[in-house]
C-alpha cells in the first residue's frame, strides 16, 4: 500500500485546503478537505492563516482525537465538530463574526480497511470534492458523482456579468458578493446540511457508500481546485487524469495546473476565482 498527497494554495501563504492520513486499529483514513473561500471583509479568528484554514485544521485535529474502532464516520465527524465548536465559542472575536463569515468546508473521507482478506473502503462525502477509482485494467469509476446545485446559479450569474463586459474574476466576485454572502448564511443556518460547518443543526446529509477494492486498484481523491484540470479546463477526462496522476505523480500534475493558469488567459471565465487551492491524494495497493 502506498499513499501520496499534495496541497497548495492558489496564492502564497494561504491555503484553505488540507489533506491528512491517519492509521489506526487496522484502518487507514485519508481525509481531503476543501475550505469554502471566505466571503467576509476580514478574518476574525486567525489573521495570519485565515479563518477557513483555522477551521479545516482544527477539524482535522479534532477528528484524529475522535477516531474510535467502533464509531462510524458520521459519529466521528459530529464528535469532532462538537470539539471545534467548543473552541470557536471560547474565542474572543467569534461573537463579532457575522453569519456569512462562519467557515464551511467540503470533505471526502476514505476509510480503507481489510475484511475477510480483501481491501474494503467506506466513503464519507460532504460537498463537492471528487473521488475516482482506477482499476488494474485502467477503467475509471466516479465513486461519488455529485452535482452542486449552486454551480448552475453561479454560472448563470457569471454569464450575465460577462454579457455586461465584466470579464475580470475579482471584479465579478465583488459584484456577486451579496449573493455569495446570502448563500453562506443559508449554509450556516439550515438543518441537515451537505457541507461541513460549525453548527450543523442536526445530522449532516453525508453521502456514504462502501465497496471492495480489487488488487492493483488506485484511489484518487481531490478538491475541485485540482479537478479544474478536467472541469472547466478540459485538459483531461476522468480516466486521463487518473492515469496521468498515477504515472506522472501529483507534483507534476500540480505544476501543469498552475502553468496552464499562468500562461493561458481566461482560465477564470467560468469560475468565481481565476485560480483555486488544489489538493489531491492517491492510494494504491
Amino acid at each position: 500500500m502506498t499513499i501520496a498527497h499534495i496541497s497548495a494554495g492558489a496564492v502564497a501563504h494561504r491555503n484553505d485546503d488540507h489533506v491528512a492520513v491517519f492509521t489506526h486499529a487496522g484502518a487507514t483514513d485519508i481525509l481531503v478537505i476543501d475550505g469554502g473561500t471566505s466571503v467576509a471583509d476580514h478574518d476574525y479568528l486567525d489573521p495570519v492563516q485565515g479563518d477557513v484554514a483555522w477551521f479545516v485544521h482544527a477539524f482535522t485535529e479534532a477528528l484524529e482525537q475522535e477516531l474510535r474502532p467502533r464509531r462510524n464516520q458520521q459519529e466521528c465527524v459530529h464528535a469532532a465538530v462538537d470539539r471545534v465548536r467548543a473552541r470557536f465559542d471560547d474565542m474572543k472575536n467569534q461573537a463579532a463574526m457575522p453569519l456569512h463569515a462562519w467557515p464551511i468546508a467540503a470533505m471526502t473521507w476514505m476509510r480503507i480497511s481489510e475484511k475477510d482478506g480483501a481491501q474494503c473502503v467506506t466513503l464519507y462525502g460532504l460537498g463537492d470534492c471528487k473521488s475516482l477509482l482506477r482499476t488494474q485494467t485502467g477503467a475509471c469509476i466516479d465513486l461519488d458523482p455529485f452535482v452542486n446545485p449552486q454551480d448552475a446559479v453561479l454560472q448563470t450569474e457569471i454569464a450575465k456579468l460577462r454579457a455586461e463586459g465584466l470579464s475580470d474574476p475579482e471584479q465579478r466576485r465583488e459584484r456577486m458578493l451579496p449573493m455569495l454572502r446570502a448563500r453562506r448564511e443559508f449554509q450556516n443556518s439550515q438543518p441537515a446540511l451537505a457541507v461541513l460547518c460549525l453548527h450543523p443543526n442536526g445530522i449532516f446529509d453525508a453521502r456514504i457508500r462502501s465497496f471492495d477494492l480489487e488488487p492493483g486498484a488506485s484511489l484518487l481523491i481531490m478538491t475541485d481546485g485540482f479537478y479544474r484540470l478536467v472541469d472547466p479546463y478540459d485538459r483531461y477526462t476522468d480516466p486521463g487524469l487518473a492515469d496521468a496522476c498515477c504515472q506522472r505523480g501529483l507534483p507534476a500534475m500540480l505544476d501543469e495546473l498552475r502553468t496552464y493558469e499562468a500562461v493561458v488567459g481566461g482560465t477564470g471565465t467560468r469560475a468565481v476565482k481565476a485560480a483555486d487551492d488544489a489538493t489531491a491524494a492517491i492510494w494504491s495497493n
Side-chain angles (χ1 to χ4, degrees), residues 51-115:
D51 293 350
V52 180
W54 174 89
F55 176 57
V56 300
H57 284 269
F59 173 79
T60 303
E61 294 167 6
L63 182 64
E64 185 176 17
Q65 296 174 20
E66 292 297 338
L67 297 175
R68 303 286 189 277
R70 297 185 180 181
R71 180 181 280 174
N72 65 37
Q73 287 164 290
Q74 183 79 287
E75 292 168 339
C76 292
V77 167
H78 278 274
V81 166
D82 288 344
R83 277 182 178 266
V84 178
R85 184 169 62 249
R87 286 181 58 185
F88 173 77
D89 290 342
D90 287 340
M91 298 181 79
K92 63 180 181 180
N93 291 330
Q94 62 83 17
M97 293 179 70
L99 189 58
H100 68 251
W102 288 14
I104 65 169
M107 64 172 283
T108 291
W109 173 9
M110 294 278 195
R111 168 162 284 178
I112 304 164
S113 57
E114 188 170 311
K115 182 178 180 181

Side-chain angles (χ1 to χ4, degrees), residues 28-30 72-74 108-113 120-125 207-213 219:
T28 297
D29 293 316
I30 303 174
N72 65 37
Q73 287 164 290
Q74 183 79 287
T108 291
W109 173 9
M110 294 278 195
R111 168 162 284 178
I112 304 164
S113 57
C120 56
V121 179
T122 302
L123 181 153
Y124 181 98
R207 303 179 301 279
I208 303 173
R209 61 168 299 194
S210 298
F211 52 93
D212 292 334
L213 285 172
L219 296 170

